[in-house]
């Protein structure tokens, strides 16, 4: 799969392709089932970073990192800035519930969605695009691990906002 090609993502089962702004207005389009998701930056310019970002503090933990960290994590030739998962074969979380948490975190709410927090330090965060892929037959974590491995094969490191495997 070519992570920089929207058609390739669609051919591999991803759908949605809604901006943060669109999802803040209507998140009911997100499936209420487990799966994986990508956050895309289709802006072709170098990013501007926010200090502080708009991510919420959770348990008094500052979600912000320094400009040096952001610059070191940025991958110029990648449209994918985060790969995540929602739910498990035994859990109740869904793409809709997980992404709603993520989106609320970006509205400075105290939500426990610590993963991917670096996107909220991008000045154009409202224009980032979320797409998702339900995985009804597969463990989302297994699919996420494979997506991260495939991404690392293409770009030689993790996406911008993925801080761990």
């Amino acid at each position: 799969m070519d992570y920089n090609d929207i058609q390739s993502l669609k051919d591999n089962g991803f759908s949605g392709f809604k901006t943060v702004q669109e999802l803040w207005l209507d998140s009911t389009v997100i499936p209420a089932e487990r799966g994986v998701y990508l956050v895309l930056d289709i802006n072709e310019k170098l990013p501007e970073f926010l200090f502080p970002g708009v991510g919420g503090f959770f348990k008094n933990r500052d979600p912000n990192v320094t400009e040096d960290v952001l610059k070191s994590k940025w991958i110029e030739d990648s449209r994918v800035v985060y790969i995540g998962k929602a739910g498990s074969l035994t859990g109740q979380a869904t793409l809709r519930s997980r992404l709603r948490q993520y989106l609320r975190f970006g509205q400075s709410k105290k939500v426990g969605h610590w993963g991917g927090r670096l996107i909220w330090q991008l000045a154009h965060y409202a224009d980032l695009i979320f797409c998702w892929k339900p995985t009804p037959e597969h463990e989302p974590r297994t699919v996420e691990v494979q997506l991260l491995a495939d991404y690392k094969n293409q770009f030689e490191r993790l996406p911008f906002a993925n801080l761990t495997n």
Side-chain angles (χ1 to χ4, degrees), residues 3-72:
Y3 284 91
N4 282 338
D5 181 49
I6 300 295
Q7 190 58 53
S8 178
L9 297 176
K10 288 178 179 180
D11 291 346
N12 281 278
F14 284 91
S15 61
F17 298 92
K18 301 289 185 185
T19 66
V20 167
Q21 189 64 42
E22 289 172 317
L23 292 172
W24 276 339
L25 295 173
D26 180 14
S27 61
T28 62
V29 298
I30 305 168
E33 54 189 308
R34 69 179 161 265
V36 293
Y37 60 95
L38 308 176
V39 182
L40 310 173
D41 178 6
I42 61 170
N43 179 0
E44 303 214 352
K45 299 182 234 168
L46 287 175
E48 292 180 40
F49 300 116
L50 299 175
F51 302 97
V54 297
F57 280 61
F58 181 69
K59 295 184 179 179
N60 295 319
R61 291 172 63 193
D62 185 348
N64 298 290
V65 298
T66 66
E67 184 172 10
D68 287 342
V69 170
L70 294 169
K71 285 180 178 179
S72 73

Side-chain angles (χ1 to χ4, degrees), residues 77-118:
D77 58 343
S78 174
R79 287 189 170 175
V80 173
V81 293
Y82 185 68
I83 296 173
K85 61 126 177 126
S88 67
L89 294 177
T90 58
Q92 299 299 312
T94 65
L95 285 161
R96 184 179 301 159
S97 66
R98 186 66 171 157
L99 293 181
R100 280 180 173 170
Q101 277 185 322
Y102 200 174
L103 293 163
R104 285 179 41 82
F105 187 81
Q107 293 173 315
S108 301
K109 307 288 188 210
K110 293 181 180 184
V111 178
H113 193 297
W114 196 247
R117 68 187 184 275
L118 301 188

